[in-house]
Amino acid sequence: MEMKIVLDLIEREQIPECEPERQYYFMDIAQRYVKQLAAQKGSPLTFHVTTFGCQMNARDSEKLIGILEHIGYVRTDTEEADFSVYNTCTVRENANNKVYGRLGGLNNAKKKNPFMMIGLCGCMMQEPSVLEKLQESYRFVNLIFGTHNIYKFAELIVTAMENSFLAQPSKKGSRMTIDIWEDTDKIVEDLPVERKYFFKSGVNIMFGCNNFCSYCIVPYVRGRERSREPQEIIREIERLVADGVVEIMLLGQNVNSYGKNLKEPMTFAQLLTEIEKIEGLRRIRFMTSHPKDLSDELIEVMKNSKKVCRHLHLPLQSGSSRILNIMNRRYDKEHYLALVDKLRAAVPDIALTTDIIVGFPGETEEDFLETMDVVRRVRYDSAFTFLYSKRTGTPAASMEDQVPEHVAKERFDRLLKEVQKIGAEKAGSLTGQTLPVLVEEVNEQDATLVTGRLDNNSVVHLEGTADMIGTIQNVELMSCKGFYYIGKAVD
């Protein structure tokens, strides 16, 4: 016999118009709904957030988790929770397919659990074709929202619960709650956040992207660039440091263009200089950097900084100037290599990583060999290599001369082999040195070891205990085992 769920409607009083006060008002209502449902279930309601994609999505998920815990949900390790949320990515087609595949399993779980809700958010939801498919074939999903209104999560939960669990016949049943915005100029912070790590945290400094690379869906799903005010960023970092954070990662689709839309413009280099003044903060990382906006001013700040980590992720995408022009990257091979020379002259020990796309429309063997040439000349510490993935709605998707899959795959394999060969040759260059390591976790394979990172992002394993997590240890690098070091803490 099907269990009957009755949710007593909580009448609205005067709803605040300003954010984030409005969301705290709805969090209070959501708390009371969660208590009602938990009482009927006879146990606390559980939740699980599954995150696909980039560090921006990971940071967004921390905000989702913070709100869910604030309103009374309890985290669980299984996706078959009372509220299962997928925070989606759409940079490549296989990311979309993963979500569709896993939704089928959730539908089976939902049929067995009358208290279950399913939520979808993130970049994938901003695609009209995706929304149409979900409405046609996945009617069991309760809540769908995008990237621009994540701050409204508590308000949307209240609406979704009322649509799914209210006793009134007109509203009973699982109606979809959908709230997708095409764009926004709003930036709403100061909402609950549950950080994954107590000692490090991501900090959004800007949202959106203005670059419109011809292969990339991001500007269409994340919107135009919006920079946060510097004083808000500083205040957030100061609070994090007071709470035990020693390392921050500044996040944006293109951090190098930070500040251009502020009433009082500020460069990213100037922001870094101000952040470095925060007492107690030990390390500063940032991503992602677009080569076209990497300034001499920023390189000088990195050179002189005591806190900015000696690691830069500088996406190449292609080594062919012809292909870069078609990609609308707004730099060429020579400009990129000149940047690398400047960086290494200023910061000789810097670790460089990159992104490379293989098989972009029109790529010839000669274009690919230009990419291989850059890889050999720059000698990246590591590289994220991708086969070109057609994204509907981008200019590249409709370009003629798409590269055959077997050709692209053969080139990809050659590139990967070269990247791995160079990485192996560079590995171990720090052996014998004593360097600071931020200890991050107990090693999963050997509980007598802890694992941490050098400021150049290299992984180090050393003997230690859980109480070392979150501390920076001076570690002698005894040996290198391919892509990680074995070290020993020294006084």
Side-chain angles (χ1 to χ4, degrees):
M1 183 176 177
E2 184 178 348
M3 181 181 295
K4 186 177 181 181
I5 302 173
V6 179
L7 192 66
D8 294 327
L9 178 65
I10 296 174
E11 297 296 338
R12 306 289 189 270
E13 299 175 2
Q14 186 170 357
I15 302 174
E17 294 183 1
C18 296
E19 301 290 2
E21 290 79 11
R22 180 184 177 92
Q23 295 314 307
Y24 280 98
Y25 173 89
F26 279 101
M27 280 183 234
D28 181 63
I29 295 176
Q31 279 180 337
R32 288 183 276 170
Y33 280 157
V34 169
K35 285 181 181 178
Q36 286 186 36
L37 293 170
Q40 293 181 59
K41 181 187 174 191
S43 63
L45 296 187
T46 61
F47 80 90
H48 187 276
V49 175
T50 304
T51 307
F52 300 89
C54 68
Q55 294 202 1
M56 293 284 283
N57 265 22
R59 179 61 175 165
D60 285 347
S61 287
E62 290 183 337
K63 298 174 183 179
L64 299 176
I65 292 169
I67 291 170
L68 286 167
E69 291 189 336
H70 185 86
I71 66 176
Y73 276 95
V74 177
R75 194 183 326 200
T76 183
D77 292 333
T78 175
E79 292 181 22
E80 296 182 1
D82 295 310
F83 194 3
S84 190
V85 181
Y86 285 169
N87 186 5
T88 63
C89 171
T90 191
V91 171
R92 272 163 282 281
E93 185 176 6
N94 64 346
N96 289 25
N97 293 335
K98 282 182 182 179
V99 172
Y100 292 132
R102 289 161 79 162
L103 277 176
L106 287 190
N107 187 28
N108 293 331
K110 193 169 190 284
K111 291 175 181 177
K112 302 173 185 176
N113 181 1
F115 296 93
M116 186 174 184
M117 292 205 309
I118 298 171
L120 297 174
C121 64
C123 295
M124 182 177 164
M125 300 304 107
Q126 295 291 148
E127 293 190 76
S129 60
V130 169
L131 184 57
E132 183 179 342
K133 182 172 182 175
L134 290 171
Q135 289 176 298
E136 288 180 356
S137 305
Y138 297 87
R139 296 294 307 175
F140 55 87
V141 174
N142 300 81
L143 173 59
I144 299 173
F145 60 105
T147 60
H148 305 305
N149 56 344
I150 187 172
Y151 70 88
K152 284 186 62 181
F153 189 40
E155 187 172 348
L156 295 171
I157 289 173
V158 168
T159 303
M161 285 182 165
E162 291 176 351
N163 282 341
S164 301
F165 301 129
L166 274 180
Q168 291 93 325
S170 62
K171 288 202 171 185
K172 190 70 177 73
S174 181
R175 291 196 332 184
M176 298 178 102
T177 299
I178 301 172
D179 193 14
I180 306 291
W181 296 4
E182 289 187 7
D183 206 346
T184 185
D185 59 358
K186 281 193 174 185
I187 297 177
V188 179
E189 298 291 328
D190 297 322
L191 291 167
V193 175
E194 180 60 32
R195 301 197 315 272
K196 184 176 181 180
Y197 304 99
F198 71 87
F199 55 87
K200 67 176 183 177
S201 178
V203 175
N204 296 110
I205 66 169
M206 61 189 301
F207 302 88
C209 182
N210 288 352
N211 290 315
F212 289 93
C213 301
S214 62
Y215 55 82
C216 186
I217 197 73
V218 168
Y220 305 96
V221 298
R222 284 279 180 181
R224 306 301 177 266
E225 285 182 0
R226 310 181 309 282
S227 296
R228 292 178 66 193
E229 293 292 336
Q231 58 269 26
E232 294 179 359
I233 298 169
I234 298 293
R235 186 165 59 247
E236 179 179 350
I237 297 172
E238 287 174 339
R239 288 199 299 261
L240 289 169
V241 171
D243 197 36
V245 168
V246 295
E247 177 182 296
I248 54 122
M249 170 75 80
L250 305 176
L251 297 172
Q253 254 70 44
N254 177 17
V255 293
N256 293 347
S257 64
Y258 169 82
K260 291 181 178 180
N261 68 323
L262 295 174
K263 289 182 180 179
E264 297 182 14
M266 168 183 268
T267 66
F268 181 53
Q270 291 169 335
L271 177 66
L272 279 179
T273 300
E274 293 304 309
I275 292 173
E276 183 154 15
K277 296 175 184 177
I278 298 174
E279 293 186 11
L281 181 63
R282 302 286 296 278
R283 288 182 172 183
I284 304 170
R285 299 187 187 275
F286 55 85
M287 71 165 35
T288 296
S289 289
H290 196 299
K292 76 177 178 63
D293 296 310
L294 182 60
S295 65
D296 291 345
E297 179 192 25
L298 177 56
I299 293 173
E300 188 67 16
V301 168
M302 295 177 68
K303 172 184 175 181
N304 297 320
S305 175
K306 305 297 183 190
K307 296 182 179 180
V308 175
C309 290
R310 270 35 184 171
H311 169 232
L312 182 66
H313 188 73
L314 192 65
L316 170 67
Q317 307 304 5
S318 174
S320 163
S321 294
R322 187 183 74 85
I323 293 296
L324 287 170
N325 182 54
I326 301 172
M327 286 179 167
N328 194 35
R329 291 291 287 173
R330 286 176 278 179
Y331 58 84
D332 58 20
K333 175 182 178 180
E334 288 69 28
H335 177 73
Y336 187 95
L337 290 171
L339 284 177
V340 170
D341 289 342
K342 285 182 182 180
L343 283 162
R344 289 207 164 125
V347 190
D349 57 344
I350 194 168
L352 292 177
T353 55
T354 197
D355 296 332
I356 301 173
I357 296 172
V358 178
F360 184 81
E363 180 189 73
T364 64
E365 178 66 12
E366 289 73 22
D367 293 319
F368 174 71
L369 291 176
E370 293 283 356
T371 298
M372 293 287 277
D373 180 57
V374 174
V375 168
R376 292 180 179 122
R377 290 167 68 174
V378 175
R379 294 181 62 80
Y380 297 103
D381 291 79
S382 66
F384 295 95
T385 54
F386 306 98
L387 284 168
Y388 167 71
S389 177
K390 185 186 295 188
R391 305 310 295 131
T392 302
T394 63
S398 57
M399 288 180 181
E400 297 180 358
D401 201 15
Q402 299 282 327
V403 177
E405 184 177 350
H406 72 278
V407 174
K409 181 64 168 62
E410 188 272 337
R411 291 174 185 167
F412 177 88
D413 291 342
R414 285 155 59 195
L415 174 65
L416 183 61
K417 184 177 179 180
E418 188 67 20
V419 166
Q420 292 175 338
K421 172 177 170 288
I422 292 170
E425 290 171 355
K426 295 193 71 174
S429 61
L430 301 176
T431 301
Q433 296 188 40
T434 298
L435 297 169
V437 171
L438 174 58
V439 179
E440 298 189 341
E441 60 188 358
V442 174
N443 187 278
E444 293 183 357
Q445 282 74 42
D446 186 345
T448 67
L449 300 177
V450 291
T451 298
R453 290 184 184 271
L454 300 168
D455 80 342
N456 74 356
N457 216 36
S458 293
V459 173
V460 181
H461 303 307
L462 62 147
E463 287 188 4
T465 53
D467 59 0
M468 294 169 66
I469 294 174
T471 67
I472 295 179
Q473 303 282 332
N474 288 322
V475 176
E476 182 182 356
L477 305 178
M478 309 292 289
S479 62
C480 181
K481 305 293 185 181
F483 296 99
Y484 64 88
Y485 289 93
I486 298 296
K488 179 179 69 174
V490 297
D491 295 330

